[in-house]
Amino acid sequence: MGNPQPFQPGRDFAVALDRGDPLGRFRDEFHIPRSDNGEEEIYFAGNSLGLLPKRTPKYVDEELEKWKRLAVKAHFSGENPWMPYHELLAEPMAKLVGASASASISEVVTMNSLTVNLHLMMTSFYRTTRERYRILLEDHAFPSDDYAIESQAIVHGFDPAETIVRLRPGKGKHSIETADVAQVLEREGESIALVLLPGVQYYTGQAFEIEAITRLAHGKGCVVGFDLAHAAGNLVLRLHEWNVDFAVWCTYKYLNSGPGSVGGCFVHERHGMQHDLPRLAGWWGHDKKSRFRMEPGFRPIPGAEGWQLSNPPILSLAAIRASLDVFMEAGGMEPLREKSVRLTAYLEWLLQREIGDSVEILTPADPRRRGCQLSFRVKAHSSGSGRTVFEKLEASGVTCDWREPDVIRVAPVPLYNRYEEVHRFVEILRNAL
Ligand SMILES: Cc1ncc(COP(=O)(O)O)c(C=O)c1O
């Protein structure tokens, strides 16, 4: 992963980087929100809600039109019938997360939402014995993961306080090292049934070493799942090759598919072929050939599709399809990640150079240990609290994100953000301070 520094401080340098950016044209694929004064915002909140691709309304309209013209018949006729519509998403989605999606079995499926999929996965993969029943989680996990795990422990009849093993960064550190994971697994691995970690930690922006952690956890006999909410569409992922057991993610952040859009789910091929795995079932996961015989006796579709419950919301899938097409046209994650590494390194470099005394960056400096997001604190000795600084940023046309108690998160996204915006952002922040 090349990082062709050195950078230069002036605005001209940023403009030159934009001019030389082979992905620069993709900004025009998106609607950029505008401030009250009519100017385009500096939108660094793609880690919360990605922007609307301009082509999305057309994709959604096509489905509305089919509903209008064909109604129920659109399930089976017309272009892209609704019955197998979700299959259209399998290949591009699989490419984005490094999964396989052959005609006979797909490791990915687009269904439900992240937390629902997490529960479905835990129903199948959180299998307990008297000796092995604990779940390894990071201490600052996204609350939905925390609640999901706590409730799973209770459903299994365990005390969550004793069941959940919480990973914390070492003293004085913000990030959890792979060595910290190894240490806990060495000490307690025999009692751990499931390791559930994020691909990218939502608060600090730290990327976990998915491959190494998976290997370590498997070495101790644990099942490994990842919450990729902040990693899908942000990092290059190779879920199949890394042997991850399962993963779940949402599509409304870096995957630009709209508020509350349908989530993604990965089940490794070796599990997808195991038809006798306990699972919560529904008719959409049933063998496609015999689904409409409406007979009792569930027979799962091989692969991740076999975990589907209901027929999916086509309008949301259409928006995901539109977004995935943009990703594929941009060449997939590799070129995007290459730009992302540089864009974020430039942001970090400018922050350190211009206001290094006033901010503390929580995100690791090593590009392999982070995605596009940087999280920082405004240091106590500088003028104004972090919250005031954040409000000034907002008033100056910057959309980023405030996380209690004191963290500002900024995520320059390679598909639609520019180097010049990074430059302007640091100037605005310096003035705000
Ligand atoms: C890391 C992480 N996990 C889980 C969730 C919950 O996602 P959902 O509301 O789609 O279930 C989010 C939502 O932002 C998240 O950031």
Side-chain angles (χ1 to χ4, degrees):
M1 197 175 302
N3 186 11
Q5 285 185 18
F7 297 118
Q8 293 169 27
R11 179 176 180 278
D12 290 351
F13 180 73
V15 171
L17 286 178
D18 285 322
R19 238 183 251 128
D21 173 11
L23 294 170
R25 71 186 173 88
F26 282 92
R27 180 177 173 88
D28 279 344
E29 290 282 341
F30 291 87
H31 288 285
I32 312 291
R34 289 180 186 272
S35 308
D36 291 344
N37 64 8
E39 280 177 21
E40 283 180 346
E41 284 179 10
I42 297 179
Y43 192 82
F44 284 170
N47 55 347
S48 280
L49 181 71
L51 292 181
L52 171 65
K54 286 182 184 164
R55 66 181 71 185
T56 300
K58 178 176 164 285
Y59 282 57
V60 175
D61 277 350
E62 276 168 14
E63 302 317 312
L64 289 171
E65 193 57 32
K66 278 154 66 180
W67 183 15
K68 189 165 95 186
R69 281 189 300 104
L70 301 172
V72 71
K73 293 192 191 96
H75 282 100
F76 299 99
S77 57
E79 204 184 337
N80 301 327
W82 294 337
M83 262 288 290
Y85 195 92
H86 70 273
E87 293 171 17
L88 297 171
L89 281 59
E91 197 184 320
M93 192 66 102
K95 280 191 179 141
L96 285 189
V97 298
S100 68
S102 68
S104 55
I105 171 169
S106 171
E107 287 182 314
V108 296
V109 66
T110 312
M111 63 179 187
N112 313 310
S113 51
L114 190 155
T115 310
V116 173
N117 289 336
L118 186 53
H119 275 298
L120 292 180
M121 291 297 102
M122 284 199 281
T123 303
S124 292
F125 296 109
Y126 175 45
R127 315 301 310 164
T128 61
T129 62
R130 279 169 67 94
E131 296 75 33
R132 195 188 277 276
Y133 60 93
R134 299 172 89 198
I135 302 173
L136 182 64
L137 182 70
E138 42 125 6
D139 195 33
H140 207 276
F142 192 85
S144 201
D145 296 23
D146 222 299
Y147 307 149
I149 283 172
E150 192 179 306
S151 60
Q152 285 277 339
I154 293 169
V155 167
H156 279 78
F158 300 122
D159 170 9
E162 205 264 319
T163 304
I164 302 174
V165 182
R166 291 179 185 276
L167 266 171
R168 294 184 180 87
K171 209 163 181 277
K173 292 193 175 158
H174 302 302
S175 300
I176 295 166
E177 304 300 330
T178 303
D180 301 331
V181 183
Q183 217 175 53
V184 175
L185 284 171
E186 198 47 52
R187 208 173 54 228
E188 317 201 34
E190 310 287 317
S191 70
I192 292 172
L194 173 67
V195 173
L196 186 85
L197 290 172
V200 172
Q201 214 282 343
Y202 80 98
Y203 191 75
T204 63
Q206 174 204 345
F208 281 74
E209 293 179 310
I210 297 178
E211 184 179 19
I213 290 172
T214 303
R215 201 178 318 112
L216 284 167
H218 283 170
K220 283 287 167 189
C222 316
V223 171
V224 194
F226 282 90
D227 173 343
L228 302 178
H230 288 260
N234 183 12
L235 298 180
V236 174
L237 299 166
R238 305 199 195 288
L239 298 182
H240 175 85
E241 196 182 309
W242 297 341
N243 224 3
V244 168
D245 292 291
F246 72 86
V248 292
W249 58 97
C250 56
T251 59
Y252 43 78
K253 298 179 189 295
Y254 297 109
L255 294 179
N256 308 320
S257 301
S261 56
V262 174
C265 185
F266 166 91
V267 179
H268 200 280
E269 202 172 70
R270 65 183 186 282
H271 303 305
M273 298 303 285
Q274 261 184 280
H275 298 328
D276 54 351
L277 258 182
R279 69 183 85 194
L280 295 179
W283 76 315
W284 223 253
H286 184 84
D287 168 50
K288 290 176 197 175
K289 287 200 195 82
S290 57
R291 187 190 281 149
F292 280 89
R293 282 195 211 133
M294 308 303 220
E295 290 166 350
F298 177 70
R299 283 205 312 281
I301 304 167
E305 283 178 281
W307 271 265
Q308 294 173 107
L309 299 178
S310 306
N311 76 103
I314 297 295
L315 301 181
S316 180
L317 295 196
I320 299 174
R321 222 182 112 222
S323 168
L324 293 178
D325 280 359
V326 178
F327 272 90
M328 292 304 106
E329 281 171 32
M333 280 318 300
E334 273 85 0
L336 286 165
R337 177 69 177 143
E338 197 178 321
K339 173 176 171 186
S340 175
V341 167
R342 192 140 198 239
L343 195 60
T344 297
Y346 178 56
L347 170 62
E348 181 186 44
W349 185 81
L350 278 179
L351 283 174
Q352 301 286 21
R353 184 191 145 88
E354 301 293 324
I355 45 174
D357 289 347
S358 309
V359 296
E360 178 199 9
I361 299 176
L362 275 56
T363 313
D366 181 349
R368 289 168 303 184
R369 303 295 314 282
R370 69 186 182 201
C372 70
Q373 171 186 325
L374 288 186
S375 304
F376 60 88
R377 276 194 187 115
V378 175
K379 285 186 187 164
H381 63 80
S382 48
S383 60
S385 70
R387 181 82 218 184
T388 329
V389 170
F390 173 72
E391 282 161 11
K392 284 187 193 166
L393 287 173
E394 281 204 313
S396 310
V398 176
T399 296
C400 55
D401 178 284
W402 171 259
R403 286 287 133 169
E404 294 294 344
D406 57 358
V407 165
I408 294 174
R409 302 185 309 168
V410 284
V413 167
L415 258 179
Y416 49 74
N417 285 127
R418 294 195 291 226
Y419 291 92
E420 189 276 333
E421 291 180 290
V422 168
H423 187 269
R424 206 152 22 103
F425 167 77
V426 176
E427 288 218 315
I428 294 170
L429 180 58
R430 194 182 54 199
N431 290 336
L433 287 163

